[in-house]
Amino acid sequence: MNETELKALSRGWPGVASAVKWDDDLVFTVCGKMFAVYCLHGPHRGRISFKVDAERFLELTDQPGIVPAAYMARAFWVSIAEPERFARAKIGEFVQRSYALVRAGLSKRQQAALDQPAAAGAGAGIAKKSTKEKV
């Protein structure tokens, strides 16, 4: 999975943003909290790192091609050191689960704000505006 595919995968998820940080990494966040990192340059180019369930951390890092993520392992992050070993769909599942874990750790207020546009729908804001115009 490359950077374009990661962007496409997460495009529709509420609250997601991406930016290049530390000169080499494309960082994906939800409400400012990281859930995935894609290395753009250097010896680790193409590596994807993300958060996993605490219960699965040891299981996943025992698999060939997955290692504890540098600086983030204590927060249960892993890095796919050999992306070619995994199907794109599987990597997508890992990233989607990471998003869900990070989102679940947000405050209830932040989570409600993320749910609001999805629950209200795009047309609800337009309806309110047109109502105000009639008054």
Side-chain angles (χ1 to χ4, degrees), residues 120-134:
I126 295 168
K128 283 184 180 179
K129 185 176 179 182
S130 62
T131 304
K132 287 180 182 178
E133 290 172 359
K134 290 179 184 178

Side-chain angles (χ1 to χ4, degrees), residues 51-61 73-78 97 101:
K51 187 173 185 67
V52 296
D53 292 285
E55 305 82 40
R56 296 205 59 208
F57 181 79
L58 290 176
E59 168 200 341
L60 291 172
T61 55
R74 66 187 169 133
F76 304 108
W77 275 62
V78 298
R97 179 63 184 152
L101 289 168

